Amino acid sequence: MGCETAEMKIAVVGVGGTGSAACRHLAKAGHTVVGYEQFRVGHTRGSSHGESRIIRYTYPDPLFTGMMGDAYPLWAGLESEAREELFVRCGGVLIAPEGHADLRDTRESIESAGLPFEELTPGETAARFPAFRLAADEIALYQKDSGFLRATRCVRAQARIAAVHGAEIREATAVHEVASRNGKPVVRTEGGEEPFDAVIVTAGAWMGKLMHGLNLPLSVERRQVVYLRIARSPEHFAPEQFPIWIDARTLYYGFPSDGVIQGVKLASHVAGYAVDPDNDGREPAADIIAEALEIATRRFPDLSDQVAFTQVCLYTSTASEDFIMDYAPDLPNVFLISGCSGHGFKFTVLLGKIAADIVTGKTYPRDLSRFALSRFV
Ligand SMILES: Cc1cc2nc3c(=O)[nH]c(=O)nc-3n(C[C@H](O)[C@H](O)[C@H](O)COP(=O)(O)OP(=O)(O)OC[C@H]3O[C@@H](n4cnc5c(N)ncnc54)[C@H](O)[C@@H]3O)c2cc1C
């Protein structure tokens, strides 16, 4: 596996969130990189498009909080290399009733990581973030380092910088097979087979189809984001006065106005349907909009019931929502990253680097055994 070589020829299959990051890290390290993307970089059919993805340390799980400690400096590095705004630092709140397990575990997780946080009562929350209404039994755990990443811009920036460092990004080039010939990985496209020293597969919602021989236990589901127009006090929805929010009870979450799309975005982590990523299923669903409206009007009385924009995106999930990061069995030097389970974007900059490091013979200091394929056996 991954012998350390001065220069390797490496394929990255899928130039989305994780793949674009892998291309950039590899190209900057001086490797010969070919990134294969079946559509165009920044397309809207996968999982990494749009104006906003939450970034936060506030996980109930110390491993994810710790990994975000590794990801934050990588995002800052990307943003300064890209010379454009990728990360809006608006802070974030986790809203839950006192005693809720996620609130308790998140508090413990960020406390043990030495991160600052505040706990706000409903009155304190409304005074500080006037658009919010909390129920009497709720508190808001505020963490200042949360915010949102401009997802499409991040993917495009990673791919652009990778290309500047010599990566060849082959758009509109679908990979039909990743196989092994005489112990070496090959990538097969319409144009034929090409051998590589290593292949990183980051095919998102298409992972199960491309690597069908592995029977990966991944589910692909659509999720729909809804932007509602602001009825009153638009300044209360600006990033300066409106943190990203997650409601631990309903698993709805949302963002301040992003300055690009009108209104404010909210979505459910859980409400969606299973889909085949090749069969559209991307038209708006009325029941999802109705539920979002119900949540929004209760929580944010200054929002209107007018939908400004709605869009579908795909989740590729494992049952535990732990990612897959491992070598493919029986395919030497083929490394898989998948199962980002609806919370992976904030990690993509790190996941791409971990894959790049591992296939080039370096290690990642944290224990990644939770993400190994052997857990499914
Ligand atoms: C509505 C929604 C909201 C989300 N909110 C958040 C959030 O707030 N915070 C957060 O951290 N995460 C969030 N996520 C999750 C996050 O966006 C995903 O986990 C992440 O984008 C997954 O990245 P990826 O690289 O695995 O997949 P993708 O970015 O989809 O990349 C896979 C790429 O592989 C390409 N591909 C596939 N098969 C082939 C092939 N055979 N040949 C060539 N190319 C191929 C695809 O076209 C695609 O471009 C959200 C996801 C959705 C859908």
Side-chain angles (χ1 to χ4, degrees):
M1 300 284 173
C3 54
E4 188 151 15
T5 320
E7 192 192 314
M8 294 171 70
K9 185 182 171 198
I10 300 167
V12 177
V13 180
V15 186
T18 310
S20 62
C23 288
R24 170 168 157 264
H25 289 300
L26 289 165
K28 287 185 68 183
H31 299 287
T32 300
V33 181
V34 180
Y36 293 90
E37 172 51 53
Q38 61 183 345
F39 304 121
R40 299 277 168 199
V41 171
H43 68 89
T44 58
R45 296 173 59 88
S47 309
S48 297
H49 54 280
E51 271 312 311
S52 51
R53 291 289 184 281
I54 289 176
I55 173 168
R56 61 186 160 105
Y57 288 109
T58 49
Y59 269 88
D61 184 322
L63 176 60
F64 287 128
T65 298
M67 288 174 72
M68 283 310 300
D70 303 331
Y72 265 91
L74 297 177
W75 285 117
L78 174 66
E79 194 174 42
S80 78
E81 263 180 76
R83 295 170 188 271
E84 62 177 323
E85 184 198 58
L86 300 176
F87 178 4
V88 179
R89 295 158 175 84
C90 56
V93 287
L94 174 67
I95 301 168
E98 186 54 75
H100 191 285
D102 275 2
L103 183 68
R104 182 197 62 218
D105 295 347
T106 300
R107 190 189 285 137
E108 267 177 40
S109 174
I110 58 174
E111 240 166 11
S112 62
L115 294 163
F117 67 94
E118 296 168 62
E119 288 180 329
L120 308 176
T121 63
E124 290 165 339
T125 306
R128 190 143 158 202
F129 307 121
F132 282 74
R133 292 291 175 275
L134 266 58
D137 67 335
E138 288 177 329
I139 63 166
L141 185 154
Y142 174 76
Q143 213 286 319
K144 69 178 179 55
D145 302 298
S146 300
F148 67 91
L149 296 160
R150 296 195 182 274
T152 304
R153 276 194 218 172
C154 291
V155 175
R156 291 200 171 124
Q158 301 267 29
R160 187 174 71 237
I161 296 167
V164 166
H165 288 272
E168 187 191 339
I169 307 293
R170 295 188 192 160
E171 293 179 289
T173 306
V175 168
H176 299 312
E177 190 186 12
V178 177
S180 179
R181 306 274 179 254
N182 306 317
K184 256 198 133 171
V186 297
V187 166
R188 184 169 63 78
T189 63
E190 204 82 341
E193 270 189 12
E194 190 164 345
F196 289 91
D197 297 314
V199 177
I200 295 171
V201 189
T202 55
W206 289 265
M207 191 69 156
K209 285 189 162 193
L210 180 63
M211 307 305 290
H212 55 87
L214 300 178
N215 288 321
L216 298 171
L218 292 169
S219 66
V220 177
E221 290 194 1
R222 50 167 273 168
R223 292 289 183 275
Q224 187 176 333
V225 306
V226 178
Y227 279 74
L228 294 179
R229 289 187 196 281
I230 299 165
R232 287 168 295 280
S233 311
E235 69 281 8
H236 292 165
F237 293 89
E240 298 73 32
Q241 292 194 52
F242 192 101
I244 62 97
W245 58 275
I246 298 174
D247 181 333
R249 261 196 294 218
T250 61
L251 295 182
Y252 265 82
Y253 60 92
F255 300 82
S257 40
D258 58 43
V260 177
I261 301 175
Q262 277 207 18
V264 294
K265 170 175 153 182
L266 76 155
S268 164
H269 182 58
V270 288
Y273 315 102
V275 287
D276 174 340
D278 290 313
N279 294 333
D280 253 330
R282 285 166 176 82
E283 59 292 337
D287 59 331
I288 301 283
I289 293 176
E291 192 181 270
L293 266 173
E294 199 231 307
I295 296 280
T297 46
R298 210 170 345 120
R299 181 74 73 201
F300 307 107
D302 288 338
L303 281 184
S304 86
D305 60 0
Q306 300 294 304
V307 176
F309 179 69
T310 181
Q311 189 173 47
V312 164
C313 176
L314 302 178
Y315 269 25
T316 307
S317 306
T318 63
S320 66
E321 299 192 354
D322 281 347
F323 315 138
I324 291 174
M325 282 199 267
D326 205 348
Y327 279 104
D330 304 325
L331 289 174
N333 290 348
V334 174
F335 192 79
L336 315 174
I337 298 208
S338 187
C340 286
S341 303
H343 68 115
F345 194 84
K346 65 184 78 59
F347 294 97
T348 51
V349 73
L350 174 67
L351 301 183
K353 182 174 189 310
I354 293 173
D357 283 350
I358 288 179
V359 301
T360 56
K362 302 191 195 81
T363 50
Y364 177 62
R366 296 182 196 276
D367 179 8
L368 297 179
S369 54
R370 251 177 65 184
F371 307 120
L373 285 171
S374 57
R375 74 188 199 264
F376 301 121
V377 176

